[in-house]
Amino acid sequence: MKLLRASTHRRLTLALAMAMLPCALTQQPAIYALTPTIAEQYLLSAANQERTARNLPMLHRDPNLARAAAQHAQVMAEHASISHQFPGEPELTSRAAAMGVAFSLVSENVAEAPSAVQIHTMWMNSPGHRANLLDPAVDAVGIRVIARNGELYAVEDFARTVPSTSLEQQESAISALIAQPGRIALAASDADISSARQTCSMSSGFAGTHKPWFVMRFTSSSLTELPGELKSHLASGRYHQAVVGACAGNSSSKFTAYNFAVLLYP
């Protein structure tokens, strides 16, 4: 998307991009020193003022997202133009993942204008950019502004970040949801958990000799909510024991998520 605003000597342009989906990431060393500039501090403050005024959660500055934004802002400044991807450049999800961002959603606003105030105003006056900036699903932002020949080239990368946790922590979180009062007992032996983890990594069937009545595999970016289908089975009264296994996801995906198998027994 582009918006053009003419002035005597300069043009103002905008573009935005968005991507969503659920799994793992590849980390590479940070290559940008990132002390926020005054323009970047202004854009972060302005974004959070807009969100606070609408009772939306504030964004925290993520240094890895800021490095991803810096990488792209530099390319835009070199081209003296804006785009979400120039020839030979990685696309948004690849840039974010390469900088070590763990995310289940990522989106981007870019702009070219003479001042940060104008850039923020333009973003807020464009429905798509405004939606990215006010998205209640995102919790982090990385901003980079590079000045060249009297113009500012700005990149604002948003993400819903996924906290890094061990398999044990992931299993504990889901087990706590399953074992809420009045629900179901949890099997906790090492053999049961090992079988559940193996089952999680399988596309079908189950591991171990103890045959479950029901197996639920699911992928989620949240450790605070169970899938509706699993809730229905838990509420059916047919099952009295469960075991939870977590496993690594598809390493080729740029998105990060948690992967589980829940085995239910009578």
Side-chain angles (χ1 to χ4, degrees):
M1 175 181 181
K2 287 191 176 182
L3 297 178
L4 297 176
R5 291 185 181 182
S7 63
T8 306
H9 301 293
R10 295 165 174 161
R11 76 178 189 277
L12 288 77
T13 54
L14 291 177
L16 78 160
M18 185 170 182
M20 292 185 68
L21 274 179
C23 223
L25 73 159
T26 304
Q27 294 198 12
Q28 292 183 0
I31 57 173
Y32 293 96
L34 293 170
T35 300
T37 65
I38 292 175
E40 292 157 10
Q41 292 176 48
Y42 167 78
L43 290 174
L44 175 58
S45 176
N48 277 329
Q49 285 179 16
E50 302 284 5
R51 293 174 68 91
T52 300
R54 295 162 180 81
N55 296 316
L56 297 170
M58 293 180 65
L59 301 170
H60 72 269
R61 179 183 179 275
D62 185 289
N64 291 332
L65 266 180
R67 292 182 183 99
Q71 182 185 55
H72 187 53
Q74 182 63 44
V75 176
M76 291 201 311
E78 290 170 357
H79 282 79
S81 181
I82 65 168
S83 174
H84 290 292
Q85 185 179 16
F86 290 92
E89 182 190 25
E91 46 78 41
L92 173 60
T93 58
S94 295
R95 296 196 308 266
M99 289 300 172
V101 184
F103 57 88
S104 61
L105 179 157
V106 63
S107 57
E108 180 175 84
N109 288 347
V110 302
E112 174 190 354
S115 75
V117 173
Q118 289 170 293
I119 288 169
H120 177 72
T121 299
M122 291 167 59
W123 279 338
M124 287 301 295
N125 287 332
S126 164
H129 301 83
R130 179 188 178 97
N132 278 354
L133 198 149
L134 299 179
D135 186 350
V138 299
D139 58 18
V141 66
I143 302 171
R144 195 61 170 168
V145 179
I146 294 180
R148 181 174 179 177
N149 298 329
E151 289 290 289
L152 298 182
Y153 296 88
V155 177
E156 201 168 46
D157 285 344
F158 305 94
R160 180 195 296 160
T161 53
V162 178
S164 176
T165 59
S166 67
L167 295 182
E168 290 82 0
Q169 290 171 319
Q170 295 169 31
E171 291 161 353
S172 293
I174 297 302
S175 295
L177 296 176
I178 291 174
Q180 286 178 357
R183 275 196 172 161
I184 199 165
L186 287 159
S189 74
D190 290 343
D192 287 335
I193 294 172
S194 176
S195 293
R197 288 182 177 177
Q198 279 185 266
T199 300
C200 177
S201 65
M202 297 163 57
S203 59
S204 63
F206 66 95
T209 58
H210 189 191
K211 183 178 180 179
W213 276 19
F214 177 76
V215 176
M216 176 81 186
R217 294 178 178 84
F218 65 97
T219 297
S220 175
S221 60
S222 170
L223 295 176
T224 60
E225 184 67 24
L226 297 175
E229 183 182 358
L230 180 56
K231 288 181 180 179
S232 296
H233 279 273
L234 292 172
S236 70
R238 297 180 59 210
Y239 312 102
H240 298 91
Q241 190 177 55
V243 60
V244 178
C247 60
N250 178 5
S251 61
S252 66
S253 174
K254 304 296 188 299
F255 296 88
T256 302
Y258 309 113
N259 302 277
F260 298 101
V262 177
L263 286 63
L264 300 181
Y265 300 92

